[in-house]
Amino acid sequence: MSEFPPYPSGLRLAGRRVLVVGGGQVAQRRVPQLIAVGADVHVVSPVVTPAIEGLVGSGEITWHERAFADADLDAAWYVIAVTDDRVVNDHVSALCERQRVFCVRSDDATLGTAWTPAVGREAGITVAVVGNRDPRRSASVRDEIVAGLRDGTIAAPHHRDRTPGVTLVGGGPGDPELISIAGRKALMAADVVVADRLAPRELLGDLPSDVELVDVAKLPRGRSAQQEEINRIIVERALAGKRVVRFKGGDNFVFGRGFEEIIACRAAGVPVTVIPGLTSPVSVPGIAGIPVTHRGVTHEFTVVSGHLPPGHPESLVDYDALARMRGTVVVMMGVENAPHIAAALVAGGRPASTPVAVVCDGTMPTQRTVLATLGTLAGRLAEESVKPPAIIVVGEVVAVAHPDAFADAFPDADPA
């Protein structure tokens, strides 16, 4: 029988009892896959890993805290024997054979009646690869297929989602590798892409040739009028039956005007969905090795738009209150007004010696970090010819990340 290849079949296990005998590392890998397909998972084992115990505590599986008993097989549709005791696995698989229940063996696949394939899911398709008991090869082939489905190289253009509507996609901080899987999928399924200047531009080159690309960074109008024009474009294209992706850098709702676009779509009766992106005020400092929070240093961080200087009649930021807080301040769109913002924080009570990091071109090949203090920030920006885009991080977390640069100001900063 071992000379014959396996017969592939898709099991529908939702609501059906699946028995997992064993609670170790192999079970820990298998159980979440069973939960994902809706199986009624029962684990039989005297002990289980902390991860499996957590699934028990959340009510996602049932744990029978004991050794296997023959009666455990009653009502089971599928069995996975993953103990480290071959005698137990032999007994379980033999019992399954007699009762005609398919059984997977982790210790010796040739003795089981079923094999666990390498599984991936994309675009409503489940890919399952069985590589003649070569799990590494199976996983590699699965990954290649799923990647092809994601980037559109396998599915033909007419298989792309043609449902009219608008999807707001946050592209992340700039590196095309940092967009979410869902974001890239939506991008490749679009009929029209309306892109910002800070959206990961390399991804635009991967778009199918029939996709209309609207570069809204080049709209020749003032700021407010430009947003009105963007709203008009996405609504107009969607009402024409197109699948529109509004593609922007960072996250749609963090100074991205995303909700203004949702309001415009709703007013026009256009379906709209949101795919969040990695937001720059957290991800860019993280890429640069700077935490926005750190145990024993700060319990909060505040993200501020610096496009208006302190004291401007349209500014909504209370810099006096911000200065009194002890946590991290992350400033976006603030390069031009950074000297005024630093002065306002010092005037409000922040020490002039407070560490500052300016991360320029975050996640891009030209990324660099300029270190300063609130007192020296204006001079350092001029010395280093800092230009937007840049994220400005203010607070002791900068000293945590760069203890040597701020040893005198914060001698007790913990670099751990």
mmCIF file with all atom_site columns, all heavy atoms in Angstrom, residues 159 268 347:
data_model
loop_
_atom_site.group_PDB
_atom_site.id
_atom_site.type_symbol
_atom_site.label_atom_id
_atom_site.label_alt_id
_atom_site.label_comp_id
_atom_site.label_asym_id
_atom_site.label_entity_id
_atom_site.label_seq_id
_atom_site.pdbx_PDB_ins_code
_atom_site.Cartn_x
_atom_site.Cartn_y
_atom_site.Cartn_z
_atom_site.occupancy
_atom_site.B_iso_or_equiv
_atom_site.pdbx_formal_charge
_atom_site.auth_seq_id
_atom_site.auth_comp_id
_atom_site.auth_asym_id
_atom_site.auth_atom_id
_atom_site.pdbx_PDB_model_num
ATOM 1  N N   . HIS A 1 159 ? -9.507  36.870 -13.013 1.00 0.00 ? 159 HIS A N   1
ATOM 2  C CA  . HIS A 1 159 ? -9.871  36.287 -11.724 1.00 0.00 ? 159 HIS A CA  1
ATOM 3  C C   . HIS A 1 159 ? -9.780  37.297 -10.593 1.00 0.00 ? 159 HIS A C   1
ATOM 4  O O   . HIS A 1 159 ? -10.096 36.993 -9.460  1.00 0.00 ? 159 HIS A O   1
ATOM 5  C CB  . HIS A 1 159 ? -8.964  35.093 -11.410 1.00 0.00 ? 159 HIS A CB  1
ATOM 6  C CG  . HIS A 1 159 ? -9.249  33.904 -12.278 1.00 0.00 ? 159 HIS A CG  1
ATOM 7  N ND1 . HIS A 1 159 ? -8.286  32.993 -12.620 1.00 0.00 ? 159 HIS A ND1 1
ATOM 8  C CD2 . HIS A 1 159 ? -10.398 33.502 -12.883 1.00 0.00 ? 159 HIS A CD2 1
ATOM 9  C CE1 . HIS A 1 159 ? -8.814  32.064 -13.398 1.00 0.00 ? 159 HIS A CE1 1
ATOM 10 N NE2 . HIS A 1 159 ? -10.089 32.351 -13.570 1.00 0.00 ? 159 HIS A NE2 1
ATOM 11 N N   . ALA A 1 268 ? -22.107 59.149 -0.902  1.00 0.00 ? 268 ALA A N   1
ATOM 12 C CA  . ALA A 1 268 ? -22.430 58.806 -2.292  1.00 0.00 ? 268 ALA A CA  1
ATOM 13 C C   . ALA A 1 268 ? -22.979 57.394 -2.431  1.00 0.00 ? 268 ALA A C   1
ATOM 14 O O   . ALA A 1 268 ? -23.282 56.954 -3.553  1.00 0.00 ? 268 ALA A O   1
ATOM 15 C CB  . ALA A 1 268 ? -21.179 58.958 -3.155  1.00 0.00 ? 268 ALA A CB  1
ATOM 16 N N   . ALA A 1 347 ? 9.501   75.515 27.261  1.00 0.00 ? 347 ALA A N   1
ATOM 17 C CA  . ALA A 1 347 ? 8.768   76.564 27.986  1.00 0.00 ? 347 ALA A CA  1
ATOM 18 C C   . ALA A 1 347 ? 7.698   75.968 28.894  1.00 0.00 ? 347 ALA A C   1
ATOM 19 O O   . ALA A 1 347 ? 7.380   76.533 29.942  1.00 0.00 ? 347 ALA A O   1
ATOM 20 C CB  . ALA A 1 347 ? 8.133   77.527 26.985  1.00 0.00 ? 347 ALA A CB  1
#
